[in-house]
Amino acid sequence: MRVWDTSHLLDDIPPHKRATAEHVYDPADSQANLQQIRLHFKQLQTRLILGLVLGFLLPNALLSAYFHFQFTHTLKESAKLNLAAVAESQKNTIDLYLQERVVNLYNLFHSKEFSLNPTQEQMDTLLASLKHFNDGFVDVGFFDTRGVQIGYAGPFPSLRSADYSGESWYRNLLTENKSYLISDIYMGFRKIPHFTIATKQVFDNRTYVMRATLDPDKFYIFLRAISQGKEVDSTLINHQGLYQVVDPGRSQLPGTGDYIPPATSASGVEEFERDDQKMLVAYAWLKETPWALLAVQPVAVAQAGMIKARLVLTVSLIVISLLISAMIYFTIKKLVDRARRMAEKGQQLQEMLAHASKLASIGELAAGVAHEINNPLAIIMATSGVIRDMLNPEFELDHSPEAIYKELSVIDTAANRAKGITRKLQDMGKSRVPSVVACDVNVLLDEVVSRLKKVEFKPKHIEVISHPAADLPPILAEPEPLRQVFANILINASDAIADKGTITITSEFREDTVWVTIADTGKGIPPENLQRIFNPFFTTKGGGRGTGLGLSIAASIVKYLGGTIKVNSIPGTGSSFTILLPINEQAKTTIKQHDN
Amino acid sequence: MDTLRVLIVDDEDDFRETIVKRLNARKIQAEGAASGVRALEILKDKDFDVIVLDVKMPDMDGIETLRHIKKLKPEIEVIMLTGHASVEFGLKGMQLGAFDYVMKPAPLNELLDTIGQAYNKKRGLIH
């Protein structure tokens, strides 16, 4: 606890300065502080949650995307390979089938029924032997060297004696080195789709041709049989894109395919669109005939496994992300809430502490005053005791009237001293009769500034900028205390400035109140001091330069006028004091009451 | 019984002289010192049984003077005299070895009682 030697304070303070132990306490400041703390923690919470969520989820998402890409790629490739293998195996089966049919036909040349001039009976036998090997054979024909079908067995007897020398397959077979030929599906003389296997054999330097027709329906059934039922649509197609199989029951020539495989490579896998659906197609060119086997599967079917896996991956990623985000959100919220509550409690404690220190300073002031009065009281008591001793014969003291007068004058001196102290205290607490006049705040400010410029501002480079309001109404007050308010705040502003700075004085009138703002570019007030600056005896000016009473006096003068002082300060940037002086009847009545 | 020797240390002249006068009238050998420094000078030449020491004095305050006294002559009992409306300085003095404290203003009887108790304590220690 500090000891207040109030005697020097009493000497220092002119009687017109009212120093009370009050300071301007604005409950709005406390609310503002709490709001600021809440805002700060809210921002902190948002930053923490966003940072952590990004920090956790971003690597997670990147890793998932990478694995997803790899997985998709692998699965796509494996779907393609799968389809290619199907196409290849079906191609081989069909090749083998066609080779067998060629051999069946070729063997007829060497059968014992064969003759260069076959009878109908012989031809029927030949067809029967063909059908024995494969029921796909429809008919069989034998051609002489001119290209006329001289022998025929089958369902179209009208074809006997037909001249085939103009048919393209016949001409190709004769001109090419190959000993057999498999035609594309064509309509031919009989006007229904079919395809032909033809072989040639030379007898006595003359080339004879044997030909058999295969039922496309049977071929189609064979193709279906080898499709393995894997949701793979297998078909055959030639270079021109014409299908080389027909659905059973369709007698017209099969249609054109929507996909023509490239002739340059023997096999491959590609994607194409069919009816807005993405299809995967594997092709393999047959060895025996210029047909390609197409194995077609919708991409959705080929990649069904992958799509399912992707769905599981995506859903679990979203679920895990949501879980992590929720965990982060609730953990951070809980932690920040706890920290915020502690900060708020700390703020409340600080305010309570400020209040307590204010009470303590009142107590200290009272204790200091008591000490000053106790000293003369002790003298009075001791001296009256001496007089009593003098009058007591037992002590054998000099009890002449002169001696007693001398002691009484000691008592008078001490009593006067005590009276002086209480008089000064009264002066502090109670103003002398005030002379209230209409004060022009702008004029008062100018007077104070010009006075300060001569002494206080002189050692420093201080630029004073004034923005006086033109429409300022006069304030009913004593001019001197108002000057004191402005001077105290301006001196503080000047003290806050180290060497060079600016003090801006603004006055304005709004809401029935005169606002005077004094802003400096000084060192500012640390937040922990801000609540104490109005306390009496609080000072940061070292070397005995400050009494700690300037702002306390200013605050009580302004409060007395019904106003308030607001402070804003940013340490390192400057402080701004705003003095609010109301122009209302209440202020006038307060002043008048005080006059009485 | 030896005469009780008391030193009154207080910067208030009126108070100090009056008390000295009253103690002397009661056959107590009392003497005054206007400051802590003066008290220490007197102590170099003379012995006392009890010292009554004001807490608040210019230059060297009572607490500081008490420290010096206890260093110089630890057997002397010291009574702190405080005008401060707080027991804090009295208690602080007692922590530093003072016998007791008396609040100003105090009736003489109270001061005499405390001086007597301090004297008895000192004699009890020595004899």
Side-chain angles (χ1 to χ4, degrees), chain A residues 12-52:
Chain A
D12 282 349
I13 305 167
H16 59 267
K17 296 189 186 175
R18 284 179 290 271
T20 71
E22 283 178 336
H23 82 110
V24 178
Y25 175 73
D26 195 345
D29 290 349
S30 176
Q31 280 303 312
N33 279 334
L34 280 182
Q35 264 166 13
Q36 210 174 348
I37 286 172
R38 285 193 186 132
L39 189 71
H40 169 76
F41 278 101
K42 200 162 185 164
Q43 283 169 349
L44 185 72
Q45 183 177 329
T46 313
R47 275 204 302 273
L48 274 175
I49 288 172
L50 280 183
L52 276 175

mmCIF file of all heavy atoms in Angstrom, chain A residues 12-52:
data_model
loop_
_atom_site.group_PDB
_atom_site.id
_atom_site.type_symbol
_atom_site.label_atom_id
_atom_site.label_comp_id
_atom_site.label_asym_id
_atom_site.label_seq_id
_atom_site.Cartn_x
_atom_site.Cartn_y
_atom_site.Cartn_z
ATOM 1 N N ASP A 12 -0.285 21.818 -3.906
ATOM 2 C CA ASP A 12 -0.123 21.875 -5.362
ATOM 3 C C ASP A 12 -1.405 22.235 -6.084
ATOM 4 O O ASP A 12 -1.378 22.857 -7.126
ATOM 5 C CB ASP A 12 0.363 20.528 -5.889
ATOM 6 C CG ASP A 12 1.848 20.355 -5.625
ATOM 7 O OD1 ASP A 12 2.476 21.373 -5.241
ATOM 8 O OD2 ASP A 12 2.357 19.249 -5.799
ATOM 9 N N ILE A 13 -2.532 21.770 -5.531
ATOM 10 C CA ILE A 13 -3.770 21.921 -6.284
ATOM 11 C C ILE A 13 -4.426 23.248 -5.970
ATOM 12 O O ILE A 13 -4.752 23.525 -4.822
ATOM 13 C CB ILE A 13 -4.754 20.792 -5.935
ATOM 14 C CG1 ILE A 13 -4.073 19.449 -6.159
ATOM 15 C CG2 ILE A 13 -6.018 20.902 -6.760
ATOM 16 C CD1 ILE A 13 -4.845 18.304 -5.552
ATOM 17 N N PRO A 14 -4.609 24.086 -6.961
ATOM 18 C CA PRO A 14 -5.364 25.321 -6.723
ATOM 19 C C PRO A 14 -6.790 24.949 -6.331
ATOM 20 O O PRO A 14 -7.306 23.917 -6.775
ATOM 21 C CB PRO A 14 -5.361 26.010 -8.096
ATOM 22 C CG PRO A 14 -4.292 25.317 -8.884
ATOM 23 C CD PRO A 14 -4.175 23.941 -8.337
ATOM 24 N N PRO A 15 -7.408 25.755 -5.525
ATOM 25 C CA PRO A 15 -8.716 25.385 -4.967
ATOM 26 C C PRO A 15 -9.783 25.150 -6.024
ATOM 27 O O PRO A 15 -10.676 24.349 -5.829
ATOM 28 C CB PRO A 15 -9.089 26.586 -4.107
ATOM 29 C CG PRO A 15 -7.857 27.391 -3.966
ATOM 30 C CD PRO A 15 -6.924 27.037 -5.047
ATOM 31 N N HIS A 16 -9.659 25.809 -7.201
ATOM 32 C CA HIS A 16 -10.744 25.679 -8.172
ATOM 33 C C HIS A 16 -10.699 24.345 -8.909
ATOM 34 O O HIS A 16 -11.601 24.013 -9.650
ATOM 35 C CB HIS A 16 -10.692 26.834 -9.171
ATOM 36 C CG HIS A 16 -9.420 26.918 -9.941
ATOM 37 N ND1 HIS A 16 -8.370 27.699 -9.531
ATOM 38 C CD2 HIS A 16 -9.031 26.301 -11.069
ATOM 39 C CE1 HIS A 16 -7.385 27.558 -10.393
ATOM 40 N NE2 HIS A 16 -7.749 26.716 -11.329
ATOM 41 N N LYS A 17 -9.579 23.595 -8.725
ATOM 42 C CA LYS A 17 -9.535 22.287 -9.371
ATOM 43 C C LYS A 17 -10.239 21.286 -8.474
ATOM 44 O O LYS A 17 -9.881 21.119 -7.327
ATOM 45 C CB LYS A 17 -8.098 21.843 -9.578
ATOM 46 C CG LYS A 17 -7.313 22.725 -10.510
ATOM 47 C CD LYS A 17 -5.988 22.066 -10.793
ATOM 48 C CE LYS A 17 -5.095 22.985 -11.599
ATOM 49 N NZ LYS A 17 -3.779 22.395 -11.766
ATOM 50 N N ARG A 18 -11.214 20.663 -9.044
ATOM 51 C CA ARG A 18 -11.954 19.694 -8.245
ATOM 52 C C ARG A 18 -11.376 18.305 -8.459
ATOM 53 O O ARG A 18 -11.519 17.705 -9.513
ATOM 54 C CB ARG A 18 -13.427 19.698 -8.645
ATOM 55 C CG ARG A 18 -14.183 20.891 -8.114
ATOM 56 C CD ARG A 18 -15.593 20.841 -8.571
ATOM 57 N NE ARG A 18 -15.652 21.086 -10.023
ATOM 58 C CZ ARG A 18 -15.752 22.299 -10.537
ATOM 59 N NH1 ARG A 18 -15.786 23.349 -9.739
ATOM 60 N NH2 ARG A 18 -15.825 22.470 -11.822
ATOM 61 N N ALA A 19 -10.692 17.806 -7.462
ATOM 62 C CA ALA A 19 -10.135 16.465 -7.556
ATOM 63 C C ALA A 19 -10.971 15.539 -6.710
ATOM 64 O O ALA A 19 -11.007 15.663 -5.499
ATOM 65 C CB ALA A 19 -8.695 16.443 -7.053
ATOM 66 N N THR A 20 -11.696 14.693 -7.327
ATOM 67 C CA THR A 20 -12.449 13.707 -6.563
ATOM 68 C C THR A 20 -11.953 12.337 -6.956
ATOM 69 O O THR A 20 -11.187 12.184 -7.897
ATOM 70 C CB THR A 20 -13.948 13.797 -6.856
ATOM 71 O OG1 THR A 20 -14.149 13.314 -8.188
ATOM 72 C CG2 THR A 20 -14.461 15.198 -6.727
ATOM 73 N N ALA A 21 -12.379 11.372 -6.192
ATOM 74 C CA ALA A 21 -11.901 10.016 -6.449
ATOM 75 C C ALA A 21 -12.780 9.302 -7.462
ATOM 76 O O ALA A 21 -12.868 8.109 -7.482
ATOM 77 C CB ALA A 21 -11.849 9.240 -5.142
ATOM 78 N N GLU A 22 -13.451 10.073 -8.279
ATOM 79 C CA GLU A 22 -14.307 9.440 -9.284
ATOM 80 C C GLU A 22 -13.581 9.367 -10.616
ATOM 81 O O GLU A 22 -12.671 10.140 -10.875
ATOM 82 C CB GLU A 22 -15.563 10.283 -9.482
ATOM 83 C CG GLU A 22 -16.567 10.122 -8.379
ATOM 84 C CD GLU A 22 -17.750 11.011 -8.627
ATOM 85 O OE1 GLU A 22 -17.585 12.026 -9.339
ATOM 86 O OE2 GLU A 22 -18.804 10.684 -8.112
ATOM 87 N N HIS A 23 -13.992 8.484 -11.411
ATOM 88 C CA HIS A 23 -13.525 8.551 -12.787
ATOM 89 C C HIS A 23 -14.687 8.171 -13.665
ATOM 90 O O HIS A 23 -15.672 7.586 -13.221
ATOM 91 C CB HIS A 23 -12.310 7.671 -13.028
ATOM 92 C CG HIS A 23 -12.639 6.238 -13.265
ATOM 93 N ND1 HIS A 23 -12.486 5.618 -14.488
ATOM 94 C CD2 HIS A 23 -13.098 5.303 -12.428
ATOM 95 C CE1 HIS A 23 -12.857 4.366 -14.384
ATOM 96 N NE2 HIS A 23 -13.218 4.135 -13.158
ATOM 97 N N VAL A 24 -14.589 8.533 -14.922
ATOM 98 C CA VAL A 24 -15.702 8.305 -15.814
ATOM 99 C C VAL A 24 -15.710 6.839 -16.188
ATOM 100 O O VAL A 24 -14.793 6.353 -16.825
ATOM 101 C CB VAL A 24 -15.582 9.196 -17.061
ATOM 102 C CG1 VAL A 24 -16.725 8.919 -18.013
ATOM 103 C CG2 VAL A 24 -15.559 10.640 -16.647
ATOM 104 N N TYR A 25 -16.734 6.157 -15.771
ATOM 105 C CA TYR A 25 -16.832 4.744 -16.106
ATOM 106 C C TYR A 25 -18.000 4.562 -17.062
ATOM 107 O O TYR A 25 -19.129 4.922 -16.768
ATOM 108 C CB TYR A 25 -17.054 3.921 -14.844
ATOM 109 C CG TYR A 25 -17.271 2.467 -15.152
ATOM 110 C CD1 TYR A 25 -16.190 1.675 -15.554
ATOM 111 C CD2 TYR A 25 -18.521 1.893 -15.067
ATOM 112 C CE1 TYR A 25 -16.380 0.353 -15.851
ATOM 113 C CE2 TYR A 25 -18.710 0.560 -15.372
ATOM 114 C CZ TYR A 25 -17.625 -0.204 -15.760
ATOM 115 O OH TYR A 25 -17.803 -1.512 -16.062
ATOM 116 N N ASP A 26 -17.706 4.075 -18.202
ATOM 117 C CA ASP A 26 -18.726 3.898 -19.228
ATOM 118 C C ASP A 26 -19.026 2.418 -19.355
ATOM 119 O O ASP A 26 -18.192 1.654 -19.803
ATOM 120 C CB ASP A 26 -18.204 4.455 -20.554
ATOM 121 C CG ASP A 26 -19.334 4.640 -21.537
ATOM 122 O OD1 ASP A 26 -20.415 4.079 -21.278
ATOM 123 O OD2 ASP A 26 -19.125 5.333 -22.544
ATOM 124 N N PRO A 27 -20.230 1.982 -18.931
ATOM 125 C CA PRO A 27 -20.531 0.549 -19.023
ATOM 126 C C PRO A 27 -20.509 0.057 -20.462
ATOM 127 O O PRO A 27 -20.290 -1.113 -20.709
ATOM 128 C CB PRO A 27 -21.928 0.417 -18.429
ATOM 129 C CG PRO A 27 -22.352 1.757 -18.026
ATOM 130 C CD PRO A 27 -21.334 2.760 -18.412
ATOM 131 N N ALA A 28 -20.730 0.959 -21.429
ATOM 132 C CA ALA A 28 -20.690 0.557 -22.837
ATOM 133 C C ALA A 28 -19.310 0.042 -23.205
ATOM 134 O O ALA A 28 -19.160 -0.846 -24.026
ATOM 135 C CB ALA A 28 -21.073 1.728 -23.722
ATOM 136 N N ASP A 29 -18.266 0.622 -22.554
ATOM 137 C CA ASP A 29 -16.897 0.168 -22.837
ATOM 138 C C ASP A 29 -16.746 -1.293 -22.484
ATOM 139 O O ASP A 29 -16.137 -2.056 -23.210
ATOM 140 C CB ASP A 29 -15.894 1.005 -22.036
ATOM 141 C CG ASP A 29 -15.836 2.425 -22.569
ATOM 142 O OD1 ASP A 29 -16.412 2.644 -23.649
ATOM 143 O OD2 ASP A 29 -15.237 3.273 -21.897
ATOM 144 N N SER A 30 -17.303 -1.674 -21.353
ATOM 145 C CA SER A 30 -17.198 -3.050 -20.903
ATOM 146 C C SER A 30 -17.873 -3.984 -21.896
ATOM 147 O O SER A 30 -17.316 -5.009 -22.281
ATOM 148 C CB SER A 30 -17.847 -3.174 -19.530
ATOM 149 O OG SER A 30 -17.837 -4.492 -19.102
ATOM 150 N N GLN A 31 -19.078 -3.566 -22.348
ATOM 151 C CA GLN A 31 -19.785 -4.377 -23.344
ATOM 152 C C GLN A 31 -18.981 -4.468 -24.626
ATOM 153 O O GLN A 31 -18.867 -5.523 -25.240
ATOM 154 C CB GLN A 31 -21.159 -3.756 -23.622
ATOM 155 C CG GLN A 31 -22.197 -4.095 -22.566
ATOM 156 C CD GLN A 31 -22.379 -5.595 -22.405
ATOM 157 O OE1 GLN A 31 -22.529 -6.321 -23.380
ATOM 158 N NE2 GLN A 31 -22.315 -6.084 -21.179
ATOM 159 N N ALA A 32 -18.391 -3.333 -25.029
ATOM 160 C CA ALA A 32 -17.602 -3.310 -26.259
ATOM 161 C C ALA A 32 -16.423 -4.260 -26.151
ATOM 162 O O ALA A 32 -16.100 -4.986 -27.083
ATOM 163 C CB ALA A 32 -17.126 -1.893 -26.547
ATOM 164 N N ASN A 33 -15.795 -4.267 -24.972
ATOM 165 C CA ASN A 33 -14.661 -5.178 -24.765
ATOM 166 C C ASN A 33 -15.096 -6.617 -24.929
ATOM 167 O O ASN A 33 -14.425 -7.399 -25.600
ATOM 168 C CB ASN A 33 -14.090 -4.977 -23.359
ATOM 169 C CG ASN A 33 -13.179 -3.790 -23.310
ATOM 170 O OD1 ASN A 33 -12.597 -3.421 -24.336
ATOM 171 N ND2 ASN A 33 -13.045 -3.195 -22.138
ATOM 172 N N LEU A 34 -16.230 -6.954 -24.314
ATOM 173 C CA LEU A 34 -16.728 -8.332 -24.405
ATOM 174 C C LEU A 34 -17.027 -8.690 -25.847
ATOM 175 O O LEU A 34 -16.703 -9.777 -26.314
ATOM 176 C CB LEU A 34 -17.991 -8.495 -23.555
ATOM 177 C CG LEU A 34 -17.754 -8.685 -22.063
ATOM 178 C CD1 LEU A 34 -19.069 -8.872 -21.355
ATOM 179 C CD2 LEU A 34 -16.850 -9.882 -21.810
ATOM 180 N N GLN A 35 -17.632 -7.715 -26.556
ATOM 181 C CA GLN A 35 -17.959 -7.987 -27.953
ATOM 182 C C GLN A 35 -16.709 -8.204 -28.780
ATOM 183 O O GLN A 35 -16.651 -9.083 -29.629
ATOM 184 C CB GLN A 35 -18.756 -6.815 -28.529
ATOM 185 C CG GLN A 35 -20.269 -7.083 -28.465
ATOM 186 C CD GLN A 35 -21.062 -5.838 -28.701
ATOM 187 O OE1 GLN A 35 -20.505 -4.833 -29.148
ATOM 188 N NE2 GLN A 35 -22.340 -5.881 -28.390
ATOM 189 N N GLN A 36 -15.685 -7.405 -28.456
ATOM 190 C CA GLN A 36 -14.424 -7.532 -29.178
ATOM 191 C C GLN A 36 -13.823 -8.909 -28.937
ATOM 192 O O GLN A 36 -13.348 -9.573 -29.864
ATOM 193 C CB GLN A 36 -13.465 -6.451 -28.686
ATOM 194 C CG GLN A 36 -12.490 -5.998 -29.729
ATOM 195 C CD GLN A 36 -11.676 -4.829 -29.216
ATOM 196 O OE1 GLN A 36 -12.006 -4.247 -28.196
ATOM 197 N NE2 GLN A 36 -10.620 -4.509 -29.894
ATOM 198 N N ILE A 37 -13.861 -9.349 -27.679
ATOM 199 C CA ILE A 37 -13.324 -10.672 -27.341
ATOM 200 C C ILE A 37 -14.094 -11.747 -28.098
ATOM 201 O O ILE A 37 -13.509 -12.653 -28.692
ATOM 202 C CB ILE A 37 -13.431 -10.899 -25.816
ATOM 203 C CG1 ILE A 37 -12.371 -10.071 -25.098
ATOM 204 C CG2 ILE A 37 -13.255 -12.375 -25.476
ATOM 205 C CD1 ILE A 37 -12.519 -10.069 -23.606
ATOM 206 N N ARG A 38 -15.430 -11.610 -28.116
ATOM 207 C CA ARG A 38 -16.239 -12.629 -28.800
ATOM 208 C C ARG A 38 -15.908 -12.666 -30.281
ATOM 209 O O ARG A 38 -15.755 -13.720 -30.870
ATOM 210 C CB ARG A 38 -17.723 -12.323 -28.602
ATOM 211 C CG ARG A 38 -18.122 -12.682 -27.204
ATOM 212 C CD ARG A 38 -19.602 -12.711 -26.971
ATOM 213 N NE ARG A 38 -19.810 -12.927 -25.551
ATOM 214 C CZ ARG A 38 -20.633 -12.217 -24.806
ATOM 215 N NH1 ARG A 38 -21.341 -11.271 -25.336
ATOM 216 N NH2 ARG A 38 -20.761 -12.486 -23.517
ATOM 217 N N LEU A 39 -15.783 -11.472 -30.868
ATOM 218 C CA LEU A 39 -15.466 -11.395 -32.297
ATOM 219 C C LEU A 39 -14.126 -12.067 -32.571
ATOM 220 O O LEU A 39 -13.980 -12.867 -33.495
ATOM 221 C CB LEU A 39 -15.438 -9.931 -32.729
ATOM 222 C CG LEU A 39 -15.323 -9.697 -34.234
ATOM 223 C CD1 LEU A 39 -16.623 -10.077 -34.913
ATOM 224 C CD2 LEU A 39 -14.975 -8.258 -34.530
ATOM 225 N N HIS A 40 -13.157 -11.731 -31.715
ATOM 226 C CA HIS A 40 -11.814 -12.298 -31.884
ATOM 227 C C HIS A 40 -11.867 -13.815 -31.867
ATOM 228 O O HIS A 40 -11.283 -14.491 -32.716
ATOM 229 C CB HIS A 40 -10.917 -11.779 -30.768
ATOM 230 C CG HIS A 40 -9.601 -12.475 -30.676
ATOM 231 N ND1 HIS A 40 -8.575 -12.224 -31.560
ATOM 232 C CD2 HIS A 40 -9.165 -13.434 -29.843
ATOM 233 C CE1 HIS A 40 -7.555 -12.992 -31.251
ATOM 234 N NE2 HIS A 40 -7.878 -13.741 -30.211
ATOM 235 N N PHE A 41 -12.591 -14.376 -30.887
ATOM 236 C CA PHE A 41 -12.625 -15.832 -30.776
ATOM 237 C C PHE A 41 -13.429 -16.466 -31.902
ATOM 238 O O PHE A 41 -13.132 -17.581 -32.313
ATOM 239 C CB PHE A 41 -13.152 -16.250 -29.404
ATOM 240 C CG PHE A 41 -12.071 -16.214 -28.371
ATOM 241 C CD1 PHE A 41 -11.974 -15.163 -27.483
ATOM 242 C CD2 PHE A 41 -11.126 -17.219 -28.313
ATOM 243 C CE1 PHE A 41 -10.971 -15.115 -26.552
ATOM 244 C CE2 PHE A 41 -10.126 -17.181 -27.380
ATOM 245 C CZ PHE A 41 -10.039 -16.138 -26.490
ATOM 246 N N LYS A 42 -14.429 -15.741 -32.394
ATOM 247 C CA LYS A 42 -15.196 -16.267 -33.509
ATOM 248 C C LYS A 42 -14.302 -16.383 -34.741
ATOM 249 O O LYS A 42 -14.304 -17.389 -35.451
ATOM 250 C CB LYS A 42 -16.377 -15.334 -33.787
ATOM 251 C CG LYS A 42 -17.475 -16.019 -34.560
ATOM 252 C CD LYS A 42 -18.781 -15.260 -34.439
ATOM 253 C CE LYS A 42 -19.873 -16.048 -35.126
ATOM 254 N NZ LYS A 42 -21.200 -15.625 -34.787
ATOM 255 N N GLN A 43 -13.512 -15.327 -34.974
ATOM 256 C CA GLN A 43 -12.588 -15.359 -36.103
ATOM 257 C C GLN A 43 -11.576 -16.483 -35.928
ATOM 258 O O GLN A 43 -11.271 -17.218 -36.872
ATOM 259 C CB GLN A 43 -11.853 -14.017 -36.223
ATOM 260 C CG GLN A 43 -12.729 -12.933 -36.833
ATOM 261 C CD GLN A 43 -12.115 -11.570 -36.704
ATOM 262 O OE1 GLN A 43 -11.128 -11.399 -35.981
ATOM 263 N NE2 GLN A 43 -12.672 -10.606 -37.391
ATOM 264 N N LEU A 44 -11.076 -16.611 -34.703
ATOM 265 C CA LEU A 44 -10.090 -17.656 -34.415
ATOM 266 C C LEU A 44 -10.682 -19.030 -34.722
ATOM 267 O O LEU A 44 -10.046 -19.883 -35.349
ATOM 268 C CB LEU A 44 -9.689 -17.577 -32.943
ATOM 269 C CG LEU A 44 -8.578 -18.522 -32.515
ATOM 270 C CD1 LEU A 44 -7.249 -18.079 -33.073
ATOM 271 C CD2 LEU A 44 -8.491 -18.599 -30.999
ATOM 272 N N GLN A 45 -11.940 -19.216 -34.308
ATOM 273 C CA GLN A 45 -12.600 -20.506 -34.512
ATOM 274 C C GLN A 45 -12.734 -20.801 -36.010
ATOM 275 O O GLN A 45 -12.388 -21.899 -36.454
ATOM 276 C CB GLN A 45 -13.982 -20.457 -33.852
ATOM 277 C CG GLN A 45 -14.727 -21.760 -33.945
ATOM 278 C CD GLN A 45 -16.060 -21.672 -33.208
ATOM 279 O OE1 GLN A 45 -16.186 -20.958 -32.226
ATOM 280 N NE2 GLN A 45 -17.028 -22.386 -33.689
ATOM 281 N N THR A 46 -13.182 -19.794 -36.763
ATOM 282 C CA THR A 46 -13.334 -20.001 -38.203
ATOM 283 C C THR A 46 -12.002 -20.344 -38.840
ATOM 284 O O THR A 46 -11.894 -21.302 -39.624
ATOM 285 C CB THR A 46 -13.897 -18.713 -38.844
ATOM 286 O OG1 THR A 46 -14.979 -18.268 -38.060
ATOM 287 C CG2 THR A 46 -14.360 -18.982 -40.258
ATOM 288 N N ARG A 47 -10.963 -19.597 -38.474
ATOM 289 C CA ARG A 47 -9.650 -19.840 -39.069
ATOM 290 C C ARG A 47 -9.158 -21.237 -38.736
ATOM 291 O O ARG A 47 -8.673 -21.966 -39.599
ATOM 292 C CB ARG A 47 -8.652 -18.798 -38.556
ATOM 293 C CG ARG A 47 -8.682 -17.508 -39.347
ATOM 294 C CD ARG A 47 -7.365 -16.771 -39.222
ATOM 295 N NE ARG A 47 -7.033 -16.481 -37.851
ATOM 296 C CZ ARG A 47 -7.435 -15.392 -37.208
ATOM 297 N NH1 ARG A 47 -8.148 -14.501 -37.817
ATOM 298 N NH2 ARG A 47 -7.096 -15.196 -35.946
ATOM 299 N N LEU A 48 -9.300 -21.630 -37.462
ATOM 300 C CA LEU A 48 -8.821 -22.949 -37.028
ATOM 301 C C LEU A 48 -9.563 -24.064 -37.749
ATOM 302 O O LEU A 48 -8.952 -25.014 -38.246
ATOM 303 C CB LEU A 48 -9.014 -23.101 -35.517
ATOM 304 C CG LEU A 48 -7.895 -22.557 -34.645
ATOM 305 C CD1 LEU A 48 -8.272 -22.664 -33.185
ATOM 306 C CD2 LEU A 48 -6.605 -23.320 -34.899
ATOM 307 N N ILE A 49 -10.884 -23.932 -37.813
ATOM 308 C CA ILE A 49 -11.682 -24.997 -38.439
ATOM 309 C C ILE A 49 -11.331 -25.102 -39.915
ATOM 310 O O ILE A 49 -11.036 -26.195 -40.418
ATOM 311 C CB ILE A 49 -13.191 -24.716 -38.242
ATOM 312 C CG1 ILE A 49 -13.566 -24.958 -36.780
ATOM 313 C CG2 ILE A 49 -14.022 -25.620 -39.146
ATOM 314 C CD1 ILE A 49 -14.974 -24.544 -36.428
ATOM 315 N N LEU A 50 -11.295 -23.963 -40.613
ATOM 316 C CA LEU A 50 -10.976 -24.000 -42.032
ATOM 317 C C LEU A 50 -9.588 -24.578 -42.258
ATOM 318 O O LEU A 50 -9.382 -25.452 -43.101
ATOM 319 C CB LEU A 50 -11.050 -22.586 -42.621
ATOM 320 C CG LEU A 50 -12.455 -22.098 -42.950
ATOM 321 C CD1 LEU A 50 -12.396 -20.722 -43.583
ATOM 322 C CD2 LEU A 50 -13.128 -23.064 -43.922
ATOM 323 N N GLY A 51 -8.630 -24.111 -41.461
ATOM 324 C CA GLY A 51 -7.248 -24.567 -41.609
ATOM 325 C C GLY A 51 -7.144 -26.055 -41.391
ATOM 326 O O GLY A 51 -6.547 -26.772 -42.207
ATOM 327 N N LEU A 52 -7.749 -26.552 -40.315
ATOM 328 C CA LEU A 52 -7.629 -27.971 -39.994
ATOM 329 C C LEU A 52 -8.370 -28.820 -41.024
ATOM 330 O O LEU A 52 -7.867 -29.856 -41.458
ATOM 331 C CB LEU A 52 -8.179 -28.240 -38.593
ATOM 332 C CG LEU A 52 -7.176 -27.974 -37.479
ATOM 333 C CD1 LEU A 52 -7.832 -28.140 -36.134
ATOM 334 C CD2 LEU A 52 -5.999 -28.912 -37.591
#
